[in-house]
Amino acid sequence: MRPTTRLRQLVEAPEILVLPGVQDALTARVAERAGFEAITCGGYASTAALLGEPDSSQLGLAEMAEHYARICDTISIPVFADGDTGFGNVTNVRRTVRAYERAGVAGLFIEDQVFPKRCGHMPGKAVVPAEEMVAKLKAALDARVDGDLLIMARTDALAVNGLDDAMERACLYREVGTDMIFVEAPRSEADMRRICTEIPAPSMANNIEGGMTPLLPAARLEEIGYAVVAFPVALSYAVAAMAERLYTALRACLRRVTAIF
């Protein structure tokens, strides 16, 4: 079965799909061995791993496509990718979808932030007009070769214009034909339930440690109505914390050895 078809099956299943975030081919392999049925790799984790920098549109299309190709070559389970803003205008979106599809991803999202974008839980975001995003989504849907490649529309309008505008945009994006919807950074369970109830599409929850959205167990999110939950940055935080502990211990050991001689 193609990874694209498998990802659609997992999204459409009654049980919520849990997408652990990875940051490279090695951690993707570990996630697969742990038993996960699909994974995600976002711009935050990729930028942290490749550049040691924040998620602020510092990686370009070619770098991200190459990064995803390495990950997809390593594992057999579906990879859900971060398409950013499409890295520009409508023609850039078309090129993004084609490059990601060649890399082997099973799905991706395009967001309505102004380029260059910011992490969804950072202040200072701005969004493009809804009509501009609609044109991008139409280009993305038209560009895919595999009809099962999952295209998700993400809106960051909640933080900029409020929940009502985000809901209107999400419904509009669904009407275009996108397969999933992602309203970024809801502030309460009530908002999350409204998103799942009023938007006629499978929705994704984003569990960001230290972010603006309540961190809820997958079972609770399933009850609210979400089809998918991603944990995009937990690994990056864990790797950084473990690396600090390891290198601190190694440095202390080195000082002790030096003192002996």
Side-chain angles (χ1 to χ4, degrees):
M1 183 182 298
R2 300 191 309 273
T4 52
T5 305
R6 179 56 180 157
L7 181 60
R8 283 183 175 271
Q9 287 184 346
L10 293 169
V11 169
E12 294 168 1
E15 302 81 15
I16 192 169
L17 172 62
V18 177
L19 292 177
V22 307
Q23 64 180 29
D24 52 26
L26 174 61
T27 51
R29 188 182 292 276
V30 173
E32 182 179 37
R33 290 185 63 179
F36 285 99
E37 297 183 278
I39 62 166
T40 187
C41 181
Y44 188 119
S46 300
T47 307
L50 296 177
L51 301 180
E53 293 284 347
D55 181 18
S56 53
S57 288
Q58 298 191 62
L59 289 174
L61 168 58
E63 292 170 302
M64 288 297 290
E66 184 178 8
H67 191 49
Y68 286 127
R70 291 195 184 100
I71 292 172
C72 293
D73 283 346
T74 304
I75 59 176
S76 60
I77 58 177
V79 177
F80 186 67
D82 183 346
D84 205 84
T85 63
F87 301 95
N89 60 17
V90 170
T91 55
N92 298 116
V93 169
R94 184 178 295 111
R95 184 165 179 257
T96 297
V97 171
R98 290 173 177 170
Y100 277 26
E101 192 167 8
R102 286 194 299 270
V105 306
L108 70 147
F109 69 79
I110 304 291
E111 62 192 77
D112 60 6
Q113 279 198 59
V114 171
F115 181 82
K117 54 77 61 82
R118 298 173 66 84
C119 173
H121 291 253
M122 288 181 179
K125 295 187 294 183
V127 293
V128 300
E131 295 77 12
E132 181 177 335
M133 179 62 171
V134 165
K136 286 186 173 187
L137 293 173
K138 288 180 178 178
L141 293 166
D142 183 65
R144 62 185 175 186
V145 176
D146 182 348
D148 277 349
L149 180 72
L150 194 146
I151 305 291
M152 183 173 77
R154 162 177 158 174
T155 179
D156 286 72
L158 192 157
V160 181
N161 302 322
L163 181 58
D164 287 341
D165 182 62
M167 297 283 292
E168 290 177 9
R169 284 172 176 254
C171 290
L172 180 62
Y173 302 162
R174 174 61 166 175
E175 290 176 8
V176 172
T178 51
D179 304 299
M180 284 184 62
I181 292 295
F182 173 25
V183 177
E184 176 66 297
R187 306 295 181 87
S188 67
E189 286 192 46
D191 288 349
M192 299 167 81
R193 189 174 295 278
R194 183 182 170 194
I195 289 167
C196 293
T197 301
E198 298 183 21
I199 299 174
S203 291
M204 188 183 85
N206 204 24
N207 269 359
I208 298 281
E209 293 77 10
M212 299 177 181
T213 302
L215 283 177
L216 301 176
R220 176 62 175 159
L221 291 168
E222 180 180 312
E223 188 275 326
I224 289 173
Y226 282 101
V228 179
V229 55
F231 293 80
V233 300
L235 175 81
S236 297
Y237 293 157
V239 167
M242 183 57 69
E244 182 176 26
R245 290 175 58 188
L246 171 64
Y247 294 138
T248 299
L250 286 176
R251 184 62 181 169
C253 180
L254 176 61
R255 284 197 293 266
R256 289 195 296 270
V257 171
T258 303
I260 293 174
F261 292 97

